[in-house]
Amino acid sequence: MGVFMAMDESLNRLLARNPRPEFLEKPFEWGEEWGTLRNMQYASLGVYFGGLFLGEDDVRVTGRLMGEALILAGLPAITLQYGLGRSRPYSGKGASDYNYFEWRNEYQSLPSGHTTVAFAISTVLAKRIDRIWVSVPLYATAGLTAISLGWNDQHWPS
């Protein structure tokens, strides 16, 4: 990780100089939406209550596990974001600028909350569904979340 962090500024400049191809616009938008906390909260509640309504215990448990994953992954991520206070690329302050215990969004770059949410939900669904043809797209979408945030100057590549 430290090696990648040392390359953050040069990789960020490379991404910033090269506009993303138009054919990637929609997939990157989808990746960002997949990592949005509110969307995944609604999704977990929908799956939970859908399973309850349909009498499908496996579906209900999946919804509960999705909610638990958001809490168990999200709390440490939020704590680290506020505690470390790493600046975002768009701030112009550089990859090594840390302002510990900072509450402004400009200093919440490490770790990525969107990427944390995306991988937490993808992992629960991949484990519950347990089919490779479902797991690969789930994890690819979570990876797309991370890449899109770097390309949009929200997070450093590392």
Side-chain angles (χ1 to χ4, degrees), residues 6-49:
M7 299 177 359
D8 271 340
E9 290 184 27
S10 58
L11 289 172
N12 183 261
R13 281 191 300 273
L14 180 68
L15 287 174
R17 278 197 314 259
N18 295 304
R20 121 177 117 203
E22 193 173 319
F23 73 91
L24 289 177
E25 286 297 325
K26 289 294 180 194
F28 277 12
E29 285 176 20
W30 172 250
E32 280 192 54
E33 290 299 317
W34 187 252
T36 302
L37 178 60
R38 180 172 289 126
N39 293 346
M40 292 303 116
Q41 288 171 327
Y42 291 148
S44 63
L45 288 171
V47 171
Y48 179 84
F49 286 113

Side-chain angles (χ1 to χ4, degrees), residues 34 39-48 59-72 117 120-122 124-125 128:
W34 187 252
N39 293 346
M40 292 303 116
Q41 288 171 327
Y42 291 148
S44 63
L45 288 171
V47 171
Y48 179 84
V59 175
R60 182 188 59 77
V61 169
T62 300
R64 189 195 79 224
L65 291 172
M66 290 168 67
E68 288 176 4
L70 291 175
I71 293 168
L72 293 173
V117 165
I121 293 299
S122 292
V124 168
L125 293 175
R128 295 292 291 171

